[in-house]
């Protein structure tokens, strides 16, 4: 049977991918998109949606997870769910990430269920895309390892996410594994033995990992047993940056080095503020306590003094590496180098010469814009958990 060319296919069905139908719903275009054909493809089985299922508090307040959904849209039932009500109890407070994860999983189920109402829409679970191919007619073919076409579309969004970067030390584990509680026995053994625990990175994940170690095994830890290695100054979230971003004002990126929190002066022509950058909540409080010496069990090593981590337990919280999804042209040649795909400010994937590939977009972790997250500058990607609160998904859906 010949496949019908859909208007859009989205490879991946994690938090970033949800931004596309949610943005379409905000714009009142969801039904049109589904009617003309919208296909989601995910390598996981339907019941395996575990994105962000970490035993820490979020770096975003509870209300941030609700903002992207339209209360008058087709997906408004998500806002009436028990998972949404759990977030609505304290919208201005950081929330346990597992609570937010259940809300996002509910949104994913609602979107998957909504696709079945339309002949041209579908969500493929347990389907691994080996590569995308853009044929001479401009259509995108997503193919599995056997060469079978899973979907055919006029436009495509790559939202395959990223995997944690593992450190080079031989005994390294990732912060993700620790926060998923997959390394409890090893962490407890290290704490009880009094050996040094090295944490690589100065991000929210790094300090959240340290917070979990202190919460669970703090009674076993001695002074200075945890060392946090940072390669750059730690960013602290500024509430003023969020307000400025909401109001449309411009200025510097949303974090500031060290303990300060003063709002930078907006300059003419400056890029919009990135409203989610920097530590806040429990991770910020822990960082400040370590910095002033109030938490003696943790030592912060600044870039100039941080040496190689050689401890029996090293935890890497050093960001993510893009999942590789080759994109080929009609002759089977790669359109851009393997690894992280660069995108422009409109979310369009760039080829090896820096030119937008017609009809191809990238969203979430693994896709870097020259302007940085939300146009706020920097060379790191927008956090996937916040992607549907920003402008990236809106810009993509406007071009479909």
């Amino acid at each position: 049977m010949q496949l019908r060319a859909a208007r859009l296919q989205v490879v991946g069905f994690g938090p970033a991918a949800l931004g596309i139908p949610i943005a379409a719903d905000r714009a009142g275009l969801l039904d049109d998109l589904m009617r003309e054909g919208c296909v989601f493809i995910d390598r996981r089985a339907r019941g395996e949606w575990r994105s962000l299922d970490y035993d820490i508090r979020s770096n975003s307040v509870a209300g941030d997870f609700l903002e992207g959904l339209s209360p008058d849209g087709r997906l408004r039932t998500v806002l009436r769910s028990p998972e949404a009500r759990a977030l609505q109890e304290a919208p201005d407070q950081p929330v346990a990430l597992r609570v937010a994860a259940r809300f996002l999983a509910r949104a994913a189920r609602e979107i998957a269920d909504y696709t079945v109402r339309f002949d041209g829409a579908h969500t493929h679970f347990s389907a691994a895309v080996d590569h995308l191919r853009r044929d001479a007619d401009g259509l995108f073919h997503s193919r599995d390892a056997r060469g079978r076409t899973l979907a055919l579309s006029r436009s495509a969004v790559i939202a395959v996410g990223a995997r944690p970067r593992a450190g080079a030390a031989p005994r390294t584990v990732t912060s993700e594994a620790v926060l998923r509680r997959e390394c409890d026995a090893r962490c407890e053994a290290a704490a009880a033995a009094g050996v040094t625990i090295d944490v690589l990175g100065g991000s929210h994940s790094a300090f959240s990992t340290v917070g979990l170690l202190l919460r669970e095994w703090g009674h076993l830890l001695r002074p200075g047993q945890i060392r946090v290695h940072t390669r750059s100054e730690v960013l602290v979230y500024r509430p003023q940056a969020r307000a400025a971003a909401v109001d449309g004002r411009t200025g510097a990126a949303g974090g500031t080095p060290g303990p300060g929190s003063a709002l930078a002066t907006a300059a003419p022509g400056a890029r919009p503020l990135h409203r989610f950058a920097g530590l806040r909540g429990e991770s910020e409080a822990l960082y400040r306590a370590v910095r002033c010496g109030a938490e003696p069990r943790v030592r912060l090593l600044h870039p100039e003094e941080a040496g190689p981590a050689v401890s029996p337990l090293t935890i890497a919280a050093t960001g993510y590496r893009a999942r590789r999804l080759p994109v080929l042209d009609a002759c089977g040649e790669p359109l851009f180098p393997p690894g992280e795909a660069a995108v422009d400010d409109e979310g369009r994937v760039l080829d090896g010469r820096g030119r937008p590939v017609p009809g191809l977009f990238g969203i979430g972790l693994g896709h870097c814009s020259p302007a940085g997250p939300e146009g706020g500058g920097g060379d790191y990607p927008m956090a996937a958990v916040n992607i549907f609160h920003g402008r990236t998904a809106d810009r993509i859906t406007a071009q479909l």
Side-chain angles (χ1 to χ4, degrees):
M1 184 178 73
Q2 187 173 8
L3 284 175
R4 168 190 170 187
R7 180 177 178 182
L8 172 70
Q9 63 175 300
V10 181
V11 183
F13 198 55
L18 303 185
I20 301 300
I22 288 173
D25 195 33
R26 284 199 301 266
L29 302 173
L30 183 60
D31 282 3
D32 289 341
L33 179 61
M34 294 294 175
R35 227 176 268 114
E36 294 182 31
C38 182
V39 179
F40 298 93
I41 307 174
D42 197 71
R43 58 189 172 83
R44 298 165 296 187
R46 182 180 175 92
E48 293 179 357
W49 210 95
R50 292 187 62 212
S51 297
L52 309 176
D53 186 19
Y54 306 131
D55 189 16
I56 56 171
R57 298 190 76 78
S58 169
N59 197 27
S60 302
V61 296
D64 286 341
F65 294 92
L66 302 169
E67 285 185 6
L69 286 153
S70 171
D72 302 318
R74 301 297 191 189
L75 303 176
R76 59 184 178 273
T77 52
V78 180
L79 294 174
R80 301 170 186 168
S81 66
E83 293 84 354
R85 288 196 293 272
L87 296 175
Q88 292 161 355
E89 291 177 359
D92 296 325
Q93 299 298 318
V95 62
L97 201 49
R98 283 182 165 168
V99 174
R102 287 194 289 271
F103 169 75
L104 293 173
R106 178 59 178 257
R109 290 197 302 271
E110 295 275 351
I111 291 168
D113 290 343
Y114 199 73
T115 62
V116 303
R117 304 183 186 185
F118 301 85
D119 292 338
H122 188 64
T123 304
H124 292 285
F125 291 102
S126 302
V129 176
D130 181 74
H131 65 272
L132 275 176
R133 178 170 176 141
R134 185 175 185 270
D135 279 354
D137 56 7
L139 294 179
F140 290 92
H141 299 247
S142 54
R143 292 178 174 168
D144 64 14
R146 297 182 181 180
R148 297 176 299 187
T149 298
L150 301 173
L152 182 66
S153 63
R154 300 195 298 274
S155 297
V157 174
I158 302 174
V160 293
R163 57 174 60 89
R165 294 181 185 272
R171 292 176 292 274
T172 299
V173 298
T174 65
S175 59
E176 179 172 291
V178 174
L179 297 174
R180 285 191 187 275
R181 307 303 298 266
E182 297 170 355
C183 302
D184 280 10
R186 187 171 176 185
C187 292
E188 182 176 12
V195 300
T196 299
I197 300 173
D198 284 311
V199 178
L200 311 181
S203 64
H204 174 69
S205 294
F207 283 95
S208 295
T209 299
V210 173
L212 186 148
L213 296 173
L214 293 172
R215 184 178 78 233
E216 296 295 328
W217 304 288
H219 61 290
L220 301 173
L221 295 167
R222 57 178 173 78
Q225 188 171 347
I226 298 176
R227 300 189 304 184
V228 180
H229 300 247
T230 64
R231 292 180 297 180
S232 59
E233 289 291 342
V234 177
L235 295 178
V236 173
Y237 172 78
R238 296 175 303 180
Q240 300 99 321
R242 174 188 169 90
V246 171
D247 292 342
R249 300 201 302 273
T250 58
T256 186
S261 59
L263 179 64
T265 303
R271 292 175 176 144
L273 287 159
H274 175 33
R275 49 187 291 206
F276 296 104
L279 305 179
R280 61 172 161 175
E282 293 180 357
S283 59
E284 178 190 352
L286 175 57
Y287 164 67
R288 293 184 185 278
V290 172
R291 188 182 176 93
C292 72
E295 179 42 82
R297 294 167 293 183
V298 183
R299 181 184 174 195
L300 182 64
L301 300 182
H302 295 289
E304 63 274 9
E305 59 179 330
V310 293
S311 65
L313 177 58
T314 300
I315 302 171
T318 50
Y320 293 84
R321 185 184 306 279
R323 295 186 186 278
R324 183 177 182 270
L325 179 65
V327 181
L328 312 177
D329 63 16
C331 298
E333 296 297 322
L335 285 173
F336 53 82
E340 189 170 88
V343 297
D344 65 10
D345 291 341
E346 302 302 314
R348 300 177 298 184
V349 172
L350 306 178
D351 65 16
R353 298 182 181 180
R355 302 170 303 186
V357 179
L360 183 63
F361 305 90
I363 195 168
L365 289 174
H367 293 91
C368 287
S369 165
E374 292 231 346
D379 59 358
Y380 52 96
M382 180 77 172
V385 64
N386 296 317
I387 202 71
F388 58 70
H389 306 312
R391 297 191 273 290
T392 307
D394 291 320
R395 289 170 176 169
I396 291 174
T397 54
Q399 299 172 77
L400 297 175

